[in-house]
Amino acid sequence: MRSSSIKSTILSMGISVPSKVLTNIELEKIVNTSDSWITERTGIKKRHILKDGELISSHAIKASKEALERAKLSPKEINLIICATLTPDYLMPSLGILIQEGVGAINAGAFDLSATCSGFLYALSIADQFIKNNPNWKILIVGAEALSRKINWEDRSTCVLFGDGAGAVVVGKSSSPDKGIIDFILGSSSDNWSLLTLKGGGSCFAPFDKRLPPEDYFIKMQGREVFKVAVKTMERVALNLLERNGLTTQDLDLLVPHQANLRIIDFLRERLKIPSEKVYVNIQKYGNTSAASIPIALYEAQEEGKLKDGILTLSVAFGGSFTFGGVLMRW
Ligand code: ACO
């Protein structure tokens, strides 16, 4: 358990997703799949996909502007921008720098963070450290993904799962020591990384290197194995976080997990013995948006009036590499 009189908290949020929607029925025309298979195995009904020429930076910037407006902050008041992404527009400049330019946060440092689906929680925990040392700082965190650009549209085992989008939050000092981030866990399990890879685009292979099979320029996953590790790991993270803070799952008001697969969320909920009304799910609308999934879910939970003053939330995530994390927070 951590004790500090200064707590950091999420001051405001914003989201933006592409207007183009790809439904399961439309996917049936692209690969050998069916709406019923996708719905039963994943809970996903549709996902938002970038149009040709549309960039994820435009959504990262739009989400950031909304979060800044809601916090009533000038972009000049932002001290740091952390962008969690696996799919920036470019390797250089970083997406963080494009967000800085797009919102006009001229006094901020900016960088990208690569921790796949756990990236937003990693970023939140980093921001928490900065706020403890610099209580007047305001930090913009963005989770943004253009996964449709890294999908092999001939691989039905992955192309039905992912979507594009961005979620942004402004983090600052909490007005009360009783509210804000209580504790977090970050972790990774390097022995499993080969189950989920995206090899093309790194420096191991030159662009169009003939030694790399074309499908390795896209996400490859051994879904069933990933599924099992995901459920076990997120359960362990949730129980550890609660236990070391003298809490049980019964104290939780809302679980806002990474939205990778409804069945993963359901297994987790059953193992943790949490009733379904205390679990936030929006995967049916967006699919897996990796680092963007938790900020988009938090935003929608707030819009639906579910993040009431004083409630206790837990977010847990799991993703490629493998990374995992959890953040316990009082609102
Ligand atoms: N449509 C129809 N059939 C399909 C599809 C599809 N889209 N995809 C696979 N199948 C078939 C398979 O070919 C297989 O057929 P077979 O039995 O004839 O061989 C059958 O369905 C079962 O395949 P499984 O892979 O065993 O299906 P499973 O029930 O495990 O579901 C899924 C697959 C949805 C991928 C699941 O394993 C999963 O969600 N895994 C975890 C994903 C995840 O959380 N990833 C981490 C985050 S991603 C990131 O970090 C970027």
Side-chain angles (χ1 to χ4, degrees):
M1 197 198 310
R2 301 179 316 152
S3 61
S4 167
S5 55
I6 298 169
K7 280 207 171 56
S8 70
T9 195
I10 292 178
L11 301 174
S12 66
M13 302 190 255
I15 63 167
S16 178
V17 295
S19 57
K20 182 176 169 186
V21 171
L22 183 64
T23 64
N24 292 350
I25 307 287
E26 288 165 318
L27 263 171
E28 288 178 358
K29 294 173 204 144
I30 299 173
V31 279
N32 181 14
T33 190
S34 65
D35 176 37
S36 61
W37 192 96
I38 302 170
T39 307
E40 275 164 33
R41 299 292 180 117
T42 72
I44 301 165
K45 296 298 288 181
K46 57 181 184 165
R47 67 286 291 142
H48 292 251
I49 300 286
L50 292 168
K51 286 193 224 100
D52 283 351
E54 188 178 8
L55 296 177
I56 196 59
S57 54
S58 66
H59 294 283
I61 291 165
K62 200 169 158 208
S64 300
K65 285 183 175 170
E66 184 183 5
L68 285 168
E69 267 169 41
R70 287 181 171 219
K72 297 188 172 53
L73 281 175
S74 149
K76 292 180 187 155
E77 293 174 88
I78 295 295
N79 301 89
L80 185 66
I81 298 171
I82 311 174
C83 180
T85 184
L86 179 63
T87 50
D89 290 358
Y90 317 105
L91 285 181
M92 193 167 65
S94 68
L95 191 45
I97 292 289
L98 297 179
I99 295 166
Q100 176 182 28
E101 182 185 45
V103 303
I106 54 172
N107 297 314
F111 66 95
D112 285 1
L113 182 159
S114 172
T116 64
C117 306
S118 315
F120 177 76
L121 297 185
Y122 270 58
L124 208 50
S125 62
I126 292 170
D128 184 58
Q129 307 305 302
F130 273 103
I131 299 295
K132 295 244 156 59
N133 287 308
N134 307 278
N136 294 324
W137 274 31
K138 301 286 183 289
I139 300 177
L140 177 66
I141 298 177
V142 186
E145 299 288 10
L147 292 160
S148 65
R149 300 267 161 86
K150 295 292 178 184
I151 284 169
N152 177 355
W153 289 99
E154 291 177 4
D155 176 6
R156 67 177 181 171
S157 71
T158 52
C159 76
V160 303
L161 301 175
F162 299 103
D164 303 332
V169 302
V170 174
V171 177
K173 185 185 154 199
S174 168
S175 57
S176 153
D178 300 328
K179 289 183 182 172
I181 294 176
I182 298 168
D183 198 4
F184 57 82
I185 285 178
L186 303 182
S188 41
S189 63
S190 52
D191 45 348
N192 286 316
W193 66 258
S194 61
L195 296 175
L196 180 48
T197 56
L198 173 51
K199 290 188 177 169
S203 60
C204 178
F205 298 98
F208 315 114
D209 190 321
K210 295 258 182 325
R211 288 172 303 158
L212 190 68
E215 62 270 21
D216 275 356
Y217 282 94
F218 303 101
I219 290 171
K220 274 171 81 175
M221 178 166 65
Q222 293 176 46
R224 189 168 285 188
E225 286 68 29
V226 174
F227 191 108
K228 288 182 210 151
V229 188
V231 175
K232 272 194 213 142
T233 307
M234 289 199 287
E235 180 192 13
R236 200 179 68 229
V237 168
L239 292 177
N240 279 353
L241 253 183
L242 289 166
E243 196 184 324
R244 76 188 196 186
N245 287 282
L247 298 162
T248 71
T249 51
Q250 292 185 345
D251 296 306
L252 268 185
D253 294 299
L254 197 63
L255 179 70
V256 187
H258 168 50
Q259 313 280 311
N261 181 323
L262 182 59
R263 283 193 302 138
I264 292 181
I265 296 173
D266 281 344
F267 268 106
L268 182 67
R269 181 176 63 71
E270 279 164 26
R271 281 170 176 243
L272 295 175
K273 299 186 179 63
I274 300 176
S276 53
E277 62 273 16
K278 288 191 173 182
V279 181
Y280 192 77
V281 175
N282 64 359
I283 192 169
Q284 68 282 4
K285 294 194 277 181
Y286 301 112
N288 179 351
T289 57
S290 194
S293 108
I294 291 179
I296 291 175
L298 285 173
Y299 177 97
E300 295 205 326
Q302 187 170 58
E303 288 298 289
E304 291 167 28
K306 293 192 165 140
L307 293 185
K308 292 197 176 67
D309 205 31
I311 74 157
L312 182 68
T313 64
L314 173 65
S315 286
V316 282
F318 180 88
S321 275
F322 286 171
T323 63
F324 53 87
V327 171
L328 195 57
M329 185 161 164
R330 178 80 61 193
W331 292 77

